[in-house]
Amino acid sequence: MAGLTESESDCESARLLPSLPPAVTLADSSASALILDPNNGQVLALVGETNQGVETPLVSAHQPGSSLDAFIYLTGFTRGLSPASLTWDIPTEGFSQNFDRKYHGPVRLRIALANDYQVPAQALKAQMGIENVTNIASSFGIDLIENISMLKLAGAYGVFGKQGIYFGQTVRDEFLPVTVLRVESVDHAVLLDWSLPQAKPVLTSALAYLMTNILSDETARGGSNPLEIGRPVGVKVGQTSNGQDAWVVGYTPSHVVVTWTGVHDENELVSPKFPSVLWNALMQLASGNSPADGWAKPQGVSTITVCDPSGMLPTSECPNLVSEVFLNGSEPIQADNLFNEFDINRETGLLATVFTPPELIEKRVYMLVPENARDWALGEGFEIPPTMYDAIQAPPVNPIANIISPELFADVNGAVKIIGTASGDDFSYYRVQVGKGLNPQEWIQLGSDVNTPIENAVLAEWDTKGLIGLYAIQLQVVRADQRVDTAVIQVTIK
């Protein structure tokens, strides 16, 4: 399976093939390829399985592997998911490992599909249900449990390139691309005429665009690779878990090219690099000097900026913003909740409370990792927010700014009278406010500011009806020079 040099062949596409390293030898290997015009469903070129440079008439069906994963994602898009939807690529019991033997954590479905990640694909299949994925694939003429031919794979992916329309002919109750256009008898009677293609709508142009937008995203695939040909092209790599088959199927508006390579010795493995470089050469040759047309965004698709990788609306804590495409009506309406800001005691590394000295508190943004991903995240060096709070140590009582009732950590309910002192030199006014939790992020003032000093009397009244849990009560005494004395207690509403 070495690339041919110019001296070895006059084949134009062979000049575009790189030479494989001398150490790469696959004694019992085969390769084949097909070029299709998706505008009429006509096969333009077909090479039977070639072994060690010798072409055979064999055009077999082979294990599809991950070449059919696009139909899993398409099923998700028909049920409200989008290329921006979050998935967790982490070790998962019962799921096969990724082909690159790595896990990539939180990623958008776009990134998972473009890079052939298997854990997200298997998780999505389980979420959607195999019956639903099977139904979607069958509308393209694909049977998920059978081996697949290049002809069927080319026809199916051509649908994405033609905005959801499948061009071909009905052949023995199957809709397929064709290799024969016309058959005449010896007396020139027309026995078969397939020169005029049939058109079969398979999915909406909006859904087809979503899939093409992912498969043609060079940035999502990550850097330079053999799948880039200098023009817009949708590409899907396929691999089998046993390493015996590797596919590439890619399309422009005018051509679909499928390449397959396989090995027959179970002790050998075939890399997607082999069909990738073959596909690159054939697609460049088929495209020639034709215009580098892409795909215009159809009606029913919107583009908005979201937080990566959650796919939700941006917040100030979001570290990375990206543009994503959505079916109208499936755009996110909630703000990102994957990244949150926490108040941390920088000395202890613990969550701050209302009793943590303000000068020790700093704000840090953490990614919130689900419990099932925690071990993986820690192993990968992710910073996870602490779950423990600072030790609660009430400050000394200030005689001119304090709360004496309720007591610290008291249980309260109903109408609560808050008693204490708000006085002292240069007194201007005081206010009482309450907030939920050990370190409230939002405070609600009880009543209005009070301009009269109070000594061991009722500062405010708090109606706790309908509330439950841990709350903080805070007294702020403001001086004429805007200095503020503060007293805080925690209570539990039951």
Side-chain angles (χ1 to χ4, degrees), residues 113-133:
L113 174 57
N115 290 280
D116 204 25
Y117 296 159
Q118 287 304 283
V119 171
Q122 293 171 80
L124 184 57
K125 183 190 290 186
Q127 180 184 352
M128 293 297 104
I130 187 60
E131 301 86 357
N132 293 320
V133 178

Side-chain angles (χ1 to χ4, degrees), residues 35-44 162 167 177 253-256:
I35 302 176
L36 175 74
D37 184 344
N39 297 284
N40 52 29
Q42 296 175 8
V43 174
L44 304 179
K162 298 313 297 178
F167 289 95
S254 55
H255 294 94
V256 181

Side-chain angles (χ1 to χ4, degrees), residues 39 56 71 74 124 138-139 183 190 200 227 233 254 289 294 322 326-327 367 419-420:
N39 297 284
T56 73
F71 302 101
L74 180 61
L124 184 57
S138 65
S139 64
V183 177
V190 177
K200 177 185 175 183
L227 303 180
V233 58
S254 55
N289 296 320
V322 294
F326 300 85
L327 297 180
M367 183 176 68
I419 299 172

Side-chain angles (χ1 to χ4, degrees), residues 82-86 108-110 302-315 318-326 330-337 339:
S82 74
S85 296
L86 174 66
R108 288 172 287 144
L109 291 184
R110 169 184 297 273
S302 60
T303 302
I304 65 173
T305 299
V306 297
C307 183
D308 176 42
S310 73
M312 303 175 78
L313 296 177
T315 66
C318 179
N320 188 37
L321 303 181
V322 294
S323 291
E324 263 295 6
V325 292
F326 300 85
S330 68
E331 302 91 343
I333 58 175
Q334 294 182 328
D336 173 71
N337 56 11
F339 294 94

Side-chain angles (χ1 to χ4, degrees), residues 404-427:
I404 60 175
S405 180
E407 294 181 352
L408 182 63
F409 301 131
D411 294 338
V412 301
N413 58 62
V416 178
K417 290 185 177 182
I418 301 169
I419 299 172
T421 295
S423 62
D425 295 339
D426 297 325
F427 174 88

Side-chain angles (χ1 to χ4, degrees), residues 39 44 81 148 171 229 232 259 261 264 270 295 328 348 394 419 423 453:
N39 297 284
L44 304 179
L81 299 180
I148 193 167
V171 183
I229 61 169
T259 54
T261 56
H264 309 290
V270 62
W295 296 269
N328 287 353
T348 66
I419 299 172
S423 62

Side-chain angles (χ1 to χ4, degrees), residues 259-298:
T259 54
W260 167 87
T261 56
V263 291
H264 309 290
D265 185 342
E266 62 182 16
N267 296 315
E268 290 186 333
L269 302 176
V270 62
S271 166
K273 176 183 178 181
F274 300 140
S276 293
V277 295
L278 177 59
W279 174 89
N280 183 304
L282 292 175
M283 181 59 89
Q284 287 195 64
L285 183 66
S287 299
N289 296 320
S290 62
D293 295 332
W295 296 269
K297 184 171 67 176

Side-chain angles (χ1 to χ4, degrees), residues 16-347:
L16 299 171
L17 286 172
S19 296
L20 297 178
V24 177
T25 57
L26 295 173
D28 190 13
S29 60
S30 302
S32 55
L34 179 147
I35 302 176
L36 175 74
D37 184 344
N39 297 284
N40 52 29
Q42 296 175 8
V43 174
L44 304 179
L46 174 62
V47 179
E49 294 184 19
T50 302
N51 192 312
Q52 300 301 309
V54 179
E55 182 184 352
T56 73
L58 185 63
V59 184
S60 302
H62 300 283
Q63 294 182 51
S66 61
S67 66
L68 301 183
D69 283 356
F71 302 101
I72 300 174
Y73 290 81
L74 180 61
T75 306
F77 300 156
T78 66
R79 285 160 172 76
L81 299 180
S82 74
S85 296
L86 174 66
T87 184
W88 283 87
D89 182 17
I90 57 176
T92 304
E93 185 176 356
F95 288 176
S96 301
Q97 194 174 7
N98 290 319
F99 292 118
D100 63 3
R101 299 294 186 259
K102 299 177 183 178
Y103 296 99
H104 309 88
V107 294
R108 288 172 287 144
L109 291 184
R110 169 184 297 273
I111 303 301
L113 174 57
N115 290 280
D116 204 25
Y117 296 159
Q118 287 304 283
V119 171
Q122 293 171 80
L124 184 57
K125 183 190 290 186
Q127 180 184 352
M128 293 297 104
I130 187 60
E131 301 86 357
N132 293 320
V133 178
T134 298
N135 289 338
I136 290 291
S138 65
S139 64
F140 290 76
I142 300 295
D143 189 327
L144 295 178
I145 64 175
E146 291 184 352
N147 288 348
I148 193 167
S149 67
M150 291 189 300
L151 191 66
K152 285 190 175 183
L153 196 61
Y157 275 85
V159 174
F160 298 133
K162 298 313 297 178
Q163 288 101 18
I165 307 299
Y166 196 153
F167 289 95
Q169 300 288 342
T170 301
V171 183
R172 296 179 182 175
D173 298 326
E174 285 191 287
F175 197 84
L176 294 168
V178 295
T179 56
V180 176
L181 298 184
R182 185 181 176 92
V183 177
E184 296 181 358
S185 65
V186 291
D187 58 357
H188 301 294
V190 177
L191 304 178
L192 176 73
D193 188 351
W194 282 343
S195 56
L196 184 64
Q198 299 175 8
K200 177 185 175 183
V202 176
L203 75 165
T204 66
S205 59
L207 279 168
Y209 180 82
L210 252 62
M211 185 58 62
T212 293
N213 188 264
I214 296 173
L215 297 181
S216 62
D217 188 345
E218 294 181 358
T219 301
R221 289 196 292 267
S224 177
N225 59 59
L227 303 180
E228 296 178 15
I229 61 169
R231 65 173 61 225
V233 58
V235 191
K236 180 68 181 76
V237 169
Q239 307 173 65
T240 54
S241 58
N242 63 8
Q244 303 295 289
D245 299 87
W247 299 81
V248 174
V249 53
Y251 56 90
T252 67
S254 55
H255 294 94
V256 181
V257 175
V258 179
T259 54
W260 167 87
T261 56
V263 291
H264 309 290
D265 185 342
E266 62 182 16
N267 296 315
E268 290 186 333
L269 302 176
V270 62
S271 166
K273 176 183 178 181
F274 300 140
S276 293
V277 295
L278 177 59
W279 174 89
N280 183 304
L282 292 175
M283 181 59 89
Q284 287 195 64
L285 183 66
S287 299
N289 296 320
S290 62
D293 295 332
W295 296 269
K297 184 171 67 176
Q299 290 185 343
V301 175
S302 60
T303 302
I304 65 173
T305 299
V306 297
C307 183
D308 176 42
S310 73
M312 303 175 78
L313 296 177
T315 66
S316 58
E317 291 81 24
C318 179
N320 188 37
L321 303 181
V322 294
S323 291
E324 263 295 6
V325 292
F326 300 85
L327 297 180
N328 287 353
S330 68
E331 302 91 343
I333 58 175
Q334 294 182 328
D336 173 71
N337 56 11
L338 187 61
F339 294 94
N340 279 13
E341 187 177 73
F342 293 82
D343 288 334
I344 304 294
N345 183 327
R346 67 168 177 268
E347 288 189 349

